[in-house]
Amino acid sequence: MVFMGDRATLLETGRFVQRRVHRSDSVMNAAFGVAAAENSETTEATETTEIIGTTETAETVGCAATVESAESTGSTGVAGSAGSAGAIEAAENPGTPESPETRESPESAESEARHRRAADAGDTTSMSVLGALLLRRGDLDAAEPYLRAATADGDRAAANNLGVLLHQRGYTDDAAGWWRIAAVAGSAAAAHALGRHYRERGDEPGAEYWLRQSAEQGHALGAYALADLLEHRSDVGAERWLRAAAEQGHREAAYRLARMLDRNAADDPHDAFGRPGLGPGPGAGAAGRPGAATRSAVRSDDGPVAGPATGRVGEAEQWYRQAAARGHRRAALHLGAILEQRGEPKEAGRWYLISAKAGEARAACALGFLLRDAGDEESAAVWWLRAAQDGDGNAANALGALHAARGEQQTAERWYRAAMDAGDVNGAYNLGLLCAAQDRTPQAEQWYRRAAYAGHREAANALAVLLLQAGDATGAEPWFSKAAEAGSVDAAFNLGILYAGRDEDRTALVWYERAAAAGHTEAALQVGMALLHHGEEQAAERHLRCAAGGGSAEAAFRLAGVLDSRQPPPGPPALGEPMPEKTECEEWYERAAEQGHRRAQVRVGMLAAARGDVDSAARWYREAAESGSRNGAFNLGLLLAREGSEREAALWWSRAANDGHGRAALRLALLAARRGELTEGQRWCARAVELGPAEVAERAARLREALHQELTA
């Protein structure tokens, strides 16, 4: 292959054999004249340090070259370490060549003058150093004669730098010729430049050959460029060379290595911060509310880590930290996200701030959320504004939510539109939420449709809810299905409701189970109730526990009922015995009761009364009664009557009886009979017969007959 030079053949011809004699101008301009045979075994006395000529980034891999300058080391290879800090930084900062490294820095005027005198006197090393210095300054006309002269004397660093000079002038083919010669002679920098040149031309085999030559000689930029080429092909060898470049201090390599480790540590790449977009919580079919700002996703190919804390993720953090410490703003963003997820907001904020100040809009947005969470809403707004002005749609959404929460609807709408213009589909969804909150249903439907057609699953669910509320169940169903298939838990639950309303219980259960598996509390309750109905108590208990743990009072009550049915009823404590401890079922009853579940409040009161805890029983009965529970009112009346407060008991029995409680009506009839209020007693007896149940109606009928006989006697 034409790009694979033979180093041994070139050495046999005498090329790149260091000579200490000054050549004439004609020889200086010649392309590597053949050296004298007697010098064929002389070792190289010049070596190189590297100065980057053009950019090397993760996004673009164009042709770039490294300026080399001679150094009197007497060793082979690239002097001054190809991975030196300055050289690596130049790879990410175009047009910033590194200073040539010599034992005496040529940056000083005195040193430059000394090299100039030596170069004019024919010293090859000084010609090479001076040419590199002038090339770095951009004085190409002055640099070229010195580089050609040093090249003619066999200086490979000068040959590489001559290639750099020609490349800067636009003579890329000529530059490649000199790089090939220098690379064959062992210049890692030239091999790197040549490999980049071939890749730019589309010759990937040639590019790989020369980049591998450079990388294997320890050249950081060659290793990075080789890794970029291999990663483009999805070659597993890319990680090795990224690691090699990163270990030499290449910050972009460190960043990309961390990203690669992230992706390998999880099943899929993560969205930024691992958080959902602005929108409603997991409500049962709610269309959401504007003003509750949360983080939204960014590009999945560049989102911070939110994966498992495995060893490789821990290693990724180390590389993020190395790149961030060297000023890589995206690495600082990712590092901040890792620290925030780990519960270190202060340290996360420091890296977000560094990244944001460097111009990373997503870091400014994330910093705003940290400040918001810390209670500093005003400072959060400042950073969101900065990020939004830089085109961050998430920040614009956050500003919209902030103003919506303050009641500034027009300003909120303006920022939501800005988010939408920035390409963030959440902007359209949030506009729909805003319009829905203002009862502007047609506009809300319009924005929901726009977001839903763009693939926003929660917008599809909200649109379906609107259609269902308008009586268009047929139009709602496909949107619910689309949202559910895309992963919307609310939509899956709503589909269950839709099918249950059609008496398609089996299909409804399928969707309830799907939503329950994703953590939907109400769906888990529905599954638990369905399983209880089919007698599958063990499976039902598992779902009821999930729902109760998620905060469902009804699930807590039903779970307590399942547990209660498995134990014998407790008897009253014997005299002198300590009060028994609460059972698990009572604890679940109490949890439901504390959430305002009236039946649970009555049940807790009954269990407390059975334990002899009259005060607790009265408290729970009263709470239930005041909430409208007729059983609570009846039981409270019984408790008060036992304590001698018949008048107050009668008030609660009256409330219960008026709400349809037959036993309460019978109690009032008995109370009236004892007081001699026979007509009142007959009235309550009639009410008890009407309300039942059967045994109550039978007793009330006998009492009414007795009262009638008494009145007619």
Side-chain angles (χ1 to χ4, degrees):
M1 300 175 72
V2 296
F3 54 82
M4 296 184 182
D6 185 344
R7 180 178 180 180
T9 303
L10 286 176
L11 289 178
E12 287 174 3
T13 66
R15 295 185 181 185
F16 289 95
V17 177
Q18 183 64 43
R19 300 191 62 191
R20 290 295 180 181
V21 297
H22 179 53
R23 297 180 178 227
S24 64
D25 290 342
S26 61
V27 176
M28 288 170 59
N29 293 325
F32 290 93
V34 179
E38 60 269 25
N39 294 322
S40 61
E41 295 182 0
T42 306
T43 59
E44 284 188 45
T46 60
E47 279 304 326
T48 60
T49 57
E50 300 179 357
I51 305 168
I52 307 309
T54 53
T55 186
E56 174 99 3
T57 67
E59 291 80 12
T60 59
V61 184
C63 186
T66 301
V67 178
E68 297 186 300
S69 65
E71 180 178 329
S72 301
T73 62
S75 62
T76 59
V78 179
S81 174
S84 64
I88 301 307
E89 286 306 302
E92 296 161 342
N93 295 282
T96 311
E98 195 64 23
S99 300
E101 294 182 16
T102 61
R103 291 185 177 179
E104 295 180 282
S105 173
E107 292 297 325
S108 67
E110 180 182 352
S111 180
E112 180 182 343
R114 184 170 61 255
H115 280 293
R116 189 178 294 275
R117 288 192 298 271
D120 291 340
D123 184 81
T124 303
T125 299
S126 292
M127 286 189 290
S128 181
V129 171
L130 184 59
L133 177 60
L134 294 170
L135 177 59
R136 180 178 180 274
R137 287 181 181 171
D139 191 350
L140 305 187
D141 291 336
E144 185 171 358
Y146 290 108
L147 291 177
R148 286 192 179 275
T151 297
D153 275 350
D155 189 284
R156 75 179 189 193
N160 173 69
N161 294 342
L162 181 57
V164 174
L165 185 148
L166 292 170
H167 182 268
Q168 290 183 10
R169 284 183 165 170
Y171 302 114
T172 54
D173 291 336
D174 292 341
W178 294 115
W179 284 332
R180 183 185 295 108
I181 293 171
V184 170
S187 171
H192 163 246
L194 188 58
R196 295 279 297 275
H197 170 78
Y198 277 117
R199 186 174 183 190
E200 188 178 64
R201 295 296 180 87
D203 185 355
E204 288 198 0
E208 181 179 353
Y209 175 82
W210 288 111
L211 291 175
R212 194 174 293 279
Q213 295 297 314
S214 177
E216 289 176 350
Q217 292 181 62
H219 193 283
L221 298 178
Y224 175 76
L226 176 60
D228 185 84
L229 177 63
L230 295 176
E231 189 174 27
H232 175 70
R233 300 177 183 170
S234 300
D235 191 314
V236 293
E239 181 179 338
R240 170 196 171 190
W241 294 110
L242 278 177
R243 189 179 299 277
E247 287 172 349
Q248 295 182 66
H250 194 294
R251 70 179 188 182
E252 186 68 26
Y255 170 73
R256 290 181 65 178
L257 176 61
R259 296 294 302 127
M260 182 178 290
L261 292 170
D262 269 350
R263 289 190 292 269
N264 293 341
D267 292 334
D268 295 302
H270 297 286
D271 289 342
F273 313 118
R275 311 288 175 85
L278 300 178
R289 62 179 182 87
T294 57
R295 291 159 174 76
S296 72
V298 295
R299 299 191 309 270
S300 62
D301 62 339
D302 199 31
V305 175
T310 62
R312 288 176 71 82
V313 171
E315 185 184 2
E317 179 184 344
Q318 296 173 10
W319 291 115
Y320 280 136
R321 192 175 295 276
Q322 176 174 307
R326 295 182 58 79
H328 196 293
R329 69 187 192 188
R330 282 180 296 162
L333 167 67
H334 287 251
L335 180 58
I338 293 172
L339 293 167
E340 182 186 0
Q341 188 183 43
R342 202 162 61 206
E344 301 178 30
K346 187 175 181 180
E347 183 70 4
R350 184 171 74 86
W351 288 108
Y352 283 150
L353 181 61
I354 291 171
S355 181
K357 285 184 174 180
E360 182 60 55
R362 287 171 296 163
C365 180
L367 181 58
F369 281 112
L370 270 188
L371 291 167
R372 190 278 310 271
D373 294 344
D376 190 354
E377 205 170 70
E378 294 304 318
S379 297
V382 170
W383 286 104
W384 283 335
L385 178 61
R386 180 169 175 173
Q389 289 173 339
D390 287 340
D392 189 280
N394 192 22
N397 273 317
L399 283 172
L402 181 64
H403 288 289
R406 294 174 177 175
E408 301 166 0
Q409 307 298 334
Q410 290 184 344
T411 307
E413 184 170 339
R414 178 167 61 85
W415 281 114
Y416 287 149
R417 287 180 181 273
M420 189 172 58
D421 292 342
D424 192 328
V425 69
N426 283 321
Y429 174 53
N430 289 332
L431 279 169
L433 293 177
L434 193 67
C435 293
Q438 298 171 346
D439 294 326
R440 296 158 55 195
T441 304
Q443 292 87 343
E445 182 179 339
Q446 171 193 347
W447 292 116
Y448 285 151
R449 281 189 185 277
R450 181 164 180 172
Y453 277 119
H456 196 293
R457 65 191 186 193
E458 296 307 329
N461 176 62
L463 174 60
V465 170
L466 278 188
L467 294 171
L468 191 61
Q469 290 172 345
D472 186 4
T474 303
E477 183 179 349
W479 285 112
F480 276 140
S481 296
K482 183 175 182 179
E485 293 295 347
S488 172
V489 181
D490 285 346
F493 177 68
N494 290 337
L495 270 177
I497 294 175
L498 192 67
Y499 285 113
R502 298 173 180 172
D503 293 329
E504 299 179 33
D505 294 340
R506 181 169 297 180
T507 307
L509 184 58
V510 170
W511 287 107
Y512 283 146
E513 287 177 337
R514 184 165 176 173
H520 196 289
T521 298
E522 292 302 316
L525 170 62
Q526 295 299 322
V527 174
M529 291 169 61
L531 292 171
L532 276 180
H533 179 71
H534 290 95
E536 300 178 35
E537 189 175 286
Q538 293 295 331
E541 180 184 342
R542 178 168 55 85
H543 283 93
L544 290 174
R545 284 187 181 277
C546 291
S552 170
E554 182 66 25
F557 173 73
R558 291 181 179 272
L559 173 61
V562 170
L563 299 174
D564 201 3
S565 66
R566 297 175 184 170
Q567 58 187 23
L575 186 64
E577 282 188 3
M579 189 173 293
E581 294 183 359
K582 295 178 182 177
T583 61
E584 184 187 4
C585 78
E586 188 170 357
E587 289 176 354
W588 283 113
Y589 277 135
E590 283 193 1
R591 182 178 295 192
E594 288 165 356
Q595 294 177 256
H597 195 288
R598 295 186 307 186
R599 294 171 65 193
Q601 289 170 341
V602 173
R603 185 60 183 156
V604 171
M606 293 173 65
L607 291 173
R611 287 199 315 270
D613 188 354
V614 177
D615 292 338
S616 293
R619 178 172 67 86
W620 286 115
Y621 286 152
R622 190 176 297 275
E623 284 199 26
E626 290 175 348
S627 298
S629 169
R630 62 188 186 184
N631 285 333
F634 174 72
N635 289 353
L636 179 58
L638 289 177
L639 205 62
L640 291 169
R642 291 194 194 107
E643 297 296 317
S645 301
E646 279 194 348
R647 184 176 297 275
E648 187 180 357
L651 293 175
W652 289 109
W653 283 335
S654 296
R655 179 181 291 190
N658 289 329
D659 285 341
H661 199 289
R663 293 183 187 279
L666 179 59
R667 286 280 176 176
L668 286 169
L670 291 169
L671 186 61
R674 284 203 306 270
R675 291 175 178 173
E677 301 171 357
L678 303 184
T679 304
E680 181 73 5
Q682 278 189 314
R683 185 173 69 83
W684 283 117
C685 282
R687 180 67 172 157
V689 169
E690 178 186 346
L691 295 174
E695 61 179 69
V696 170
E698 183 181 348
R699 290 181 59 193
R702 289 200 304 268
L703 179 59
R704 182 174 59 177
E705 181 63 27
L707 291 176
H708 176 71
Q709 292 177 1
E710 185 71 23
L711 284 170
T712 58

